[in-house]
Amino acid sequence: MKLTNEKVVVCGAGGFIGGHLVKHLLAHGVGAVRAVDVKPLDEWHQTTAGVENLVLDLRDKDACYRATDGMQVVFQLAADMGGMGFIENNKAMCMLSVLISTHMLMAARDRGIERYFYSSSACVYNGDKQTKEDVTALKEADAYPALPEDGYGWEKLFTERMCRHFEEDFGLQCRVARFHNVYGPLGTYEGGREKAPAAICRKLIEAKLSGKHEIEIWGNGKQTRSFMYIDDCTRGVQEILESEIHEPINLGSSELVTIDQLVDIVEEIAGIKLKRSYNLNAPKGVNGRNSDNTKIMEYLGWEPSIRLKDGMALTYQWIESEMLKAAGK
Protein backbone atom coordinates (compact mmCIF):
# COMPACT_ATOMS: atom_id res chain seq x y z
CA MET A 1 0.00 0.00 0.00
CA LYS A 2 1.21 3.49 -0.87
CA LEU A 3 -0.44 6.45 0.81
CA THR A 4 -1.80 8.64 -1.97
CA ASN A 5 -5.26 10.13 -1.62
CA GLU A 6 -6.34 8.18 1.46
CA LYS A 7 -8.23 9.87 4.26
CA VAL A 8 -6.04 9.59 7.35
CA VAL A 9 -6.66 10.24 11.05
CA VAL A 10 -3.72 11.00 13.34
CA CYS A 11 -4.58 10.34 17.00
CA GLY A 12 -2.39 12.27 19.44
CA ALA A 13 -1.86 14.97 16.79
CA GLY A 14 -1.55 17.66 19.47
CA GLY A 15 1.57 15.96 20.79
CA PHE A 16 5.18 16.28 19.68
CA ILE A 17 5.44 13.32 17.29
CA GLY A 18 1.80 13.50 16.16
CA GLY A 19 2.10 17.16 15.15
CA HIS A 20 5.20 16.49 13.08
CA LEU A 21 3.56 13.41 11.54
CA VAL A 22 0.57 15.45 10.31
CA LYS A 23 2.93 17.83 8.47
CA HIS A 24 5.00 14.94 7.10
CA LEU A 25 1.96 13.10 5.72
CA LEU A 26 0.59 16.19 3.99
CA ALA A 27 4.01 16.80 2.43
CA HIS A 28 4.18 13.20 1.20
CA GLY A 29 1.03 12.67 -0.76
CA VAL A 30 -1.76 12.11 1.76
CA GLY A 31 -5.06 13.48 0.53
CA ALA A 32 -6.82 14.51 3.72
CA VAL A 33 -5.82 14.48 7.38
CA ARG A 34 -8.00 14.59 10.47
CA ALA A 35 -5.99 15.51 13.57
CA VAL A 36 -7.32 14.44 17.00
CA ASP A 37 -6.11 15.18 20.52
CA VAL A 38 -7.57 15.52 24.02
CA LYS A 39 -5.84 18.85 24.70
CA PRO A 40 -7.53 22.18 23.87
CA LEU A 41 -6.30 23.42 20.48
CA ASP A 42 -4.25 26.23 21.98
CA GLU A 43 -2.23 23.63 23.90
CA TRP A 44 -1.29 21.56 20.84
CA HIS A 45 2.43 21.52 20.09
CA GLN A 46 1.59 22.63 16.55
CA THR A 47 -1.40 22.83 14.23
CA THR A 48 -1.42 22.68 10.45
CA ALA A 49 -3.51 24.65 7.97
CA GLY A 50 -5.96 22.67 5.86
CA VAL A 51 -6.40 19.95 8.47
CA GLU A 52 -9.59 19.00 10.32
CA ASN A 53 -8.64 19.43 13.99
CA LEU A 54 -10.86 17.70 16.55
CA VAL A 55 -10.62 17.87 20.34
CA LEU A 56 -11.74 14.42 21.52
CA ASP A 57 -11.03 12.23 24.55
CA LEU A 58 -10.20 8.90 22.92
CA ARG A 59 -10.54 7.03 26.19
CA ASP A 60 -14.26 7.35 25.42
CA LYS A 61 -15.52 4.77 22.90
CA ASP A 62 -17.93 7.14 21.14
CA ALA A 63 -15.07 9.59 20.54
CA CYS A 64 -13.10 6.85 18.77
CA TYR A 65 -16.03 6.17 16.44
CA ARG A 66 -16.24 9.92 15.73
CA ALA A 67 -12.50 10.06 15.04
CA THR A 68 -12.58 7.17 12.54
CA ASP A 69 -15.82 8.12 10.76
CA GLY A 70 -15.14 8.28 7.00
CA MET A 71 -11.43 7.53 7.41
CA GLN A 72 -9.34 4.82 5.72
CA VAL A 73 -6.06 4.87 7.68
CA VAL A 74 -5.39 5.32 11.41
CA PHE A 75 -2.16 6.45 13.04
CA GLN A 76 -2.67 5.77 16.76
CA LEU A 77 -0.10 7.76 18.74
CA ALA A 78 -2.42 8.99 21.51
CA ALA A 79 -1.27 8.11 25.06
CA ASP A 80 -0.78 9.66 28.46
CA MET A 81 2.99 9.70 28.70
CA GLY A 82 6.19 11.64 29.18
CA GLY A 83 9.83 11.11 30.01
CA MET A 84 11.19 8.78 32.68
CA GLY A 85 10.31 11.19 35.49
CA PHE A 86 6.67 11.03 34.43
CA ILE A 87 6.25 7.33 33.65
CA GLU A 88 8.00 6.13 36.82
CA ASN A 89 5.65 8.22 38.96
CA ASN A 90 2.38 7.78 37.04
CA LYS A 91 2.12 4.05 36.37
CA ALA A 92 -1.67 3.80 36.75
CA MET A 93 -2.23 6.82 34.51
CA CYS A 94 0.00 5.26 31.83
CA MET A 95 -1.90 1.97 32.07
CA LEU A 96 -5.21 3.78 31.47
CA SER A 97 -4.05 4.53 27.91
CA VAL A 98 -5.21 0.97 27.22
CA LEU A 99 -8.73 2.45 27.00
CA ILE A 100 -7.63 4.55 24.02
CA SER A 101 -6.10 1.58 22.23
CA THR A 102 -8.98 -0.79 22.99
CA HIS A 103 -11.66 1.60 21.79
CA MET A 104 -9.64 2.73 18.76
CA LEU A 105 -9.11 -0.86 17.63
CA MET A 106 -12.83 -1.60 18.03
CA ALA A 107 -13.74 1.52 16.06
CA ALA A 108 -11.19 0.72 13.34
CA ARG A 109 -12.57 -2.79 13.00
CA ASP A 110 -16.18 -1.60 12.80
CA ARG A 111 -15.41 1.30 10.42
CA GLY A 112 -13.55 -0.96 7.97
CA ILE A 113 -10.22 0.85 8.37
CA GLU A 114 -7.71 -0.34 5.74
CA ARG A 115 -4.49 0.16 7.74
CA TYR A 116 -3.88 0.80 11.45
CA PHE A 117 -0.52 2.03 12.79
CA TYR A 118 0.29 1.76 16.49
CA SER A 119 3.20 3.56 18.16
CA SER A 120 4.70 1.20 20.71
CA SER A 121 7.90 1.79 22.66
CA ALA A 122 11.31 0.36 23.50
CA CYS A 123 9.92 0.27 27.05
CA VAL A 124 8.33 -3.08 26.13
CA TYR A 125 11.74 -4.80 26.25
CA ASN A 126 12.72 -7.23 29.00
CA GLY A 127 14.42 -5.26 31.79
CA ASP A 128 16.87 -8.10 32.48
CA LYS A 129 18.44 -7.42 29.07
CA GLN A 130 19.07 -3.75 29.96
CA THR A 131 21.00 -3.95 33.23
CA LYS A 132 24.42 -2.97 31.83
CA GLU A 133 25.58 0.28 30.26
CA ASP A 134 27.58 -1.74 27.72
CA VAL A 135 24.33 -3.06 26.29
CA THR A 136 23.71 -5.48 23.45
CA ALA A 137 21.32 -3.79 21.00
CA LEU A 138 17.76 -5.00 21.49
CA LYS A 139 16.30 -7.29 18.84
CA GLU A 140 12.53 -7.48 18.39
CA ALA A 141 12.49 -10.98 19.96
CA ASP A 142 13.93 -9.54 23.19
CA ALA A 143 10.47 -8.41 24.34
CA TYR A 144 9.87 -11.99 25.50
CA PRO A 145 9.85 -13.49 28.07
CA ALA A 146 7.97 -10.37 29.12
CA LEU A 147 9.43 -8.03 31.76
CA PRO A 148 8.72 -4.54 30.37
CA GLU A 149 8.92 -1.13 32.07
CA ASP A 150 6.36 -1.24 34.87
CA GLY A 151 3.12 0.52 33.97
CA TYR A 152 3.86 2.24 30.67
CA GLY A 153 5.78 -0.69 29.13
CA TRP A 154 3.13 -3.24 30.13
CA GLU A 155 0.38 -1.17 28.51
CA LYS A 156 2.40 -0.89 25.28
CA LEU A 157 3.18 -4.62 25.19
CA PHE A 158 -0.45 -5.55 25.88
CA THR A 159 -1.63 -3.28 23.07
CA GLU A 160 0.88 -4.84 20.67
CA ARG A 161 -0.81 -8.18 21.39
CA MET A 162 -4.24 -6.65 20.84
CA CYS A 163 -3.14 -5.37 17.43
CA ARG A 164 -1.88 -8.84 16.56
CA HIS A 165 -5.13 -10.52 17.56
CA PHE A 166 -7.34 -7.93 15.85
CA GLU A 167 -5.41 -8.74 12.67
CA GLU A 168 -5.70 -12.50 13.19
CA ASP A 169 -9.35 -12.53 14.26
CA PHE A 170 -10.86 -9.62 12.29
CA GLY A 171 -8.44 -9.00 9.40
CA LEU A 172 -7.59 -5.44 10.55
CA GLN A 173 -4.22 -4.69 8.93
CA CYS A 174 -2.02 -3.54 11.83
CA ARG A 175 1.51 -2.15 11.78
CA VAL A 176 3.46 -1.64 15.02
CA ALA A 177 6.69 0.33 15.55
CA ARG A 178 8.69 0.36 18.78
CA PHE A 179 9.93 3.95 19.13
CA HIS A 180 13.37 4.51 20.70
CA ASN A 181 13.69 8.01 22.26
CA VAL A 182 12.41 10.50 19.70
CA TYR A 183 13.57 14.13 20.03
CA GLY A 184 13.55 17.40 18.09
CA PRO A 185 12.07 20.92 17.93
CA LEU A 186 8.49 21.62 19.07
CA GLY A 187 8.72 19.02 21.83
CA THR A 188 8.13 19.32 25.58
CA TYR A 189 11.17 20.72 27.39
CA GLU A 190 9.80 21.59 30.84
CA GLY A 191 7.01 20.69 33.24
CA GLY A 192 7.92 17.09 34.12
CA ARG A 193 7.01 15.23 30.92
CA GLU A 194 10.14 16.16 28.95
CA LYS A 195 12.69 13.56 27.87
CA ALA A 196 16.46 13.61 28.34
CA PRO A 197 17.57 15.50 25.17
CA ALA A 198 15.14 18.38 25.77
CA ALA A 199 15.73 18.42 29.54
CA ILE A 200 19.50 18.67 29.07
CA CYS A 201 19.10 21.48 26.52
CA ARG A 202 16.84 23.37 28.94
CA LYS A 203 19.26 22.91 31.84
CA LEU A 204 22.19 24.18 29.75
CA ILE A 205 20.22 27.23 28.63
CA GLU A 206 19.10 27.94 32.22
CA ALA A 207 22.74 27.76 33.33
CA LYS A 208 23.76 30.13 30.55
CA LEU A 209 21.02 32.64 31.34
CA SER A 210 21.58 32.56 35.11
CA GLY A 211 25.37 32.49 35.01
CA LYS A 212 25.27 29.56 37.44
CA HIS A 213 27.31 27.03 35.50
CA GLU A 214 26.09 23.85 37.16
CA ILE A 215 23.90 20.96 36.04
CA GLU A 216 22.17 18.12 37.88
CA ILE A 217 22.15 14.84 35.97
CA TRP A 218 19.69 12.06 36.83
CA GLY A 219 21.57 8.84 37.56
CA ASN A 220 25.34 8.45 37.34
CA GLY A 221 25.65 9.72 33.76
CA LYS A 222 26.87 6.35 32.52
CA GLN A 223 23.42 5.12 31.40
CA THR A 224 23.42 4.48 27.64
CA ARG A 225 20.71 5.32 25.13
CA SER A 226 20.11 6.00 21.45
CA PHE A 227 18.11 9.00 20.25
CA MET A 228 16.19 9.37 16.96
CA TYR A 229 15.52 12.75 15.36
CA ILE A 230 11.87 13.49 14.62
CA ASP A 231 12.23 13.66 10.81
CA ASP A 232 13.70 10.15 10.73
CA CYS A 233 10.83 8.99 12.94
CA THR A 234 8.03 10.35 10.74
CA ARG A 235 9.67 8.95 7.60
CA GLY A 236 9.96 5.54 9.28
CA VAL A 237 6.34 5.63 10.47
CA GLN A 238 5.02 6.17 6.94
CA GLU A 239 7.29 3.46 5.49
CA ILE A 240 6.21 0.94 8.14
CA LEU A 241 2.52 1.76 7.63
CA GLU A 242 2.89 1.22 3.88
CA SER A 243 4.90 -2.01 4.30
CA GLU A 244 3.98 -5.66 4.67
CA ILE A 245 5.67 -5.94 8.08
CA HIS A 246 3.11 -7.69 10.26
CA GLU A 247 5.12 -7.95 13.50
CA PRO A 248 6.36 -5.17 15.84
CA ILE A 249 9.59 -3.61 14.58
CA ASN A 250 12.23 -1.30 16.05
CA LEU A 251 12.24 2.32 14.91
CA GLY A 252 15.25 4.06 16.38
CA SER A 253 18.87 5.07 15.99
CA SER A 254 21.66 2.63 16.80
CA GLU A 255 24.07 5.49 17.63
CA LEU A 256 24.68 4.69 21.31
CA VAL A 257 25.79 7.40 23.77
CA THR A 258 26.02 7.78 27.53
CA ILE A 259 24.02 10.54 29.20
CA ASP A 260 27.35 12.20 30.03
CA GLN A 261 28.24 12.15 26.32
CA LEU A 262 24.85 13.68 25.52
CA VAL A 263 25.69 16.50 27.95
CA ASP A 264 29.09 16.87 26.24
CA ILE A 265 27.35 17.34 22.88
CA VAL A 266 24.99 20.02 24.24
CA GLU A 267 27.84 21.80 26.07
CA GLU A 268 29.68 22.03 22.75
CA ILE A 269 26.58 23.44 21.03
CA ALA A 270 26.01 25.94 23.88
CA GLY A 271 29.68 26.90 24.08
CA ILE A 272 29.95 26.38 27.87
CA LYS A 273 31.21 23.77 30.32
CA LEU A 274 29.22 23.02 33.46
CA LYS A 275 30.03 21.51 36.82
CA ARG A 276 28.09 18.25 37.05
CA SER A 277 26.32 16.75 40.04
CA TYR A 278 24.63 13.37 39.91
CA ASN A 279 21.27 12.64 41.54
CA LEU A 280 21.34 8.88 42.11
CA ASN A 281 17.83 8.92 43.60
CA ALA A 282 16.15 10.47 40.55
CA PRO A 283 14.26 8.36 37.98
CA LYS A 284 16.79 7.10 35.44
CA GLY A 285 15.24 4.08 33.74
CA VAL A 286 17.28 1.07 32.65
CA ASN A 287 21.09 1.18 32.62
CA GLY A 288 21.43 0.58 28.90
CA ARG A 289 19.18 0.47 25.83
CA ASN A 290 19.94 0.50 22.12
CA SER A 291 18.06 -0.37 18.93
CA ASP A 292 19.06 -3.33 16.78
CA ASN A 293 18.09 -2.14 13.29
CA THR A 294 18.85 -5.38 11.42
CA LYS A 295 15.18 -6.11 10.65
CA ILE A 296 14.16 -2.66 9.47
CA MET A 297 17.25 -2.51 7.26
CA GLU A 298 16.33 -5.89 5.74
CA TYR A 299 12.68 -4.98 5.23
CA LEU A 300 12.87 -1.32 4.22
CA GLY A 301 16.51 -0.27 3.91
CA TRP A 302 15.61 2.37 6.53
CA GLU A 303 18.25 3.96 8.72
CA PRO A 304 18.47 7.34 10.43
CA SER A 305 19.82 10.12 8.22
CA ILE A 306 20.41 12.72 10.94
CA ARG A 307 23.37 12.40 13.29
CA LEU A 308 22.78 13.07 16.98
CA LYS A 309 25.10 16.09 16.96
CA ASP A 310 23.16 17.75 14.14
CA GLY A 311 19.72 16.92 15.52
CA MET A 312 20.66 18.18 18.97
CA ALA A 313 21.90 21.47 17.48
CA LEU A 314 18.49 22.04 15.84
CA THR A 315 16.68 21.06 19.04
CA TYR A 316 18.87 23.31 21.20
CA GLN A 317 18.33 26.30 18.88
CA TRP A 318 14.53 25.91 19.04
CA ILE A 319 14.40 25.50 22.84
CA GLU A 320 16.77 28.46 23.32
CA SER A 321 14.60 30.70 21.13
CA GLU A 322 11.49 29.67 23.11
CA MET A 323 13.16 30.28 26.45
CA LEU A 324 14.56 33.66 25.38
CA LYS A 325 11.08 34.67 24.18
CA ALA A 326 9.60 33.62 27.53
CA ALA A 327 12.29 35.62 29.36
CA GLY A 328 11.53 38.67 27.20
CA LYS A 329 14.99 38.67 25.60
Side-chain angles (χ1 to χ4, degrees), residues 110-131:
D110 296 345
R111 294 288 195 203
I113 293 294
E114 294 167 20
R115 287 276 168 113
Y116 185 98
F117 175 89
Y118 176 62
S119 62
S120 187
S121 165
C123 288
V124 302
Y125 283 112
N126 187 315
D128 284 347
K129 295 180 183 289
Q130 303 171 77
T131 57

Side-chain angles (χ1 to χ4, degrees), residues 79-329:
D80 208 343
M81 60 85 68
M84 195 49 63
F86 178 81
I87 66 176
E88 281 199 8
N89 293 306
N90 294 277
K91 294 185 177 74
M93 206 182 288
C94 290
M95 292 292 282
L96 285 172
S97 292
V98 77
L99 292 172
I100 302 172
S101 294
T102 303
H103 293 146
M104 279 302 301
L105 281 165
M106 291 168 70
R109 175 197 62 192
D110 296 345
R111 294 288 195 203
I113 293 294
E114 294 167 20
R115 287 276 168 113
Y116 185 98
F117 175 89
Y118 176 62
S119 62
S120 187
S121 165
C123 288
V124 302
Y125 283 112
N126 187 315
D128 284 347
K129 295 180 183 289
Q130 303 171 77
T131 57
K132 296 175 183 171
E133 291 89 2
D134 184 19
V135 69
T136 302
L138 293 159
K139 294 182 171 69
E140 285 78 1
D142 290 331
Y144 296 94
L147 188 63
E149 183 79 37
D150 203 5
Y152 179 72
W154 276 109
E155 190 277 325
K156 289 291 186 186
L157 192 62
F158 175 78
T159 301
E160 286 189 6
R161 303 296 288 195
M162 271 207 297
C163 288
R164 170 179 165 175
H165 298 314
F166 266 71
E167 181 159 323
E168 291 169 347
D169 294 358
F170 306 121
L172 177 63
Q173 287 290 307
C174 292
R175 303 292 181 264
V176 176
R178 291 173 179 161
F179 289 178
H180 288 250
N181 294 316
V182 188
Y183 74 98
L186 297 167
T188 302
Y189 61 87
E190 61 186 352
R193 289 180 185 251
E194 66 275 17
K195 296 189 174 183
I200 289 167
C201 287
R202 186 201 75 239
K203 289 178 179 182
L204 265 288
I205 295 158
E206 285 171 346
K208 215 173 173 182
L209 291 174
S210 70
K212 191 179 176 187
H213 287 191
E214 297 173 4
I215 185 170
E216 181 188 84
I217 295 168
W218 288 7
N220 61 11
K222 295 181 172 61
Q223 315 96 283
T224 50
R225 294 290 187 278
S226 64
F227 300 94
M228 170 175 52
Y229 191 69
I230 184 63
D231 291 359
D232 286 323
C233 177
T234 54
R235 176 171 59 90
V237 166
Q238 180 170 353
E239 289 186 31
I240 290 167
L241 182 281
E242 292 176 338
S243 77
E244 291 308 311
I245 304 169
H246 292 267
E247 71 268 25
I249 192 159
N250 281 332
L251 185 61
S253 170
S254 56
E255 185 186 347
L256 191 70
V257 292
T258 66
I259 297 302
D260 268 336
Q261 286 170 333
L262 186 61
V263 176
D264 291 341
I265 288 169
V266 184
E267 283 182 335
E268 194 179 321
I269 294 163
I272 58 171
K273 294 293 282 181
L274 302 184
K275 182 184 174 189
R276 301 178 190 188
S277 63
Y278 297 91
N279 184 348
L280 303 182
N281 297 315
K284 66 179 184 67
V286 295
N287 286 324
R289 177 183 291 152
N290 196 14
S291 179
D292 185 313
N293 287 347
T294 306
K295 267 197 176 180
I296 197 166
M297 275 296 292
E298 284 173 1
Y299 279 123
L300 301 175
W302 180 94
E303 59 182 339
S305 62
I306 297 159
R307 293 181 319 156
L308 183 59
K309 228 177 238 187
D310 300 331
M312 286 303 294
L314 294 168
T315 306
Y316 180 91
Q317 287 157 16
W318 179 79
I319 293 173
E320 185 177 48
S321 71
E322 290 295 298
M323 290 177 68
L324 288 173
K325 255 189 281 178
K329 296 185 179 182

Side-chain angles (χ1 to χ4, degrees), residues 7-9 32 34 52 67-74 111-113:
K7 293 178 179 176
V8 167
V9 57
R34 176 180 292 158
E52 181 189 8
T68 50
D69 186 24
M71 296 290 106
Q72 295 160 288
V73 174
V74 170
R111 294 288 195 203
I113 293 294

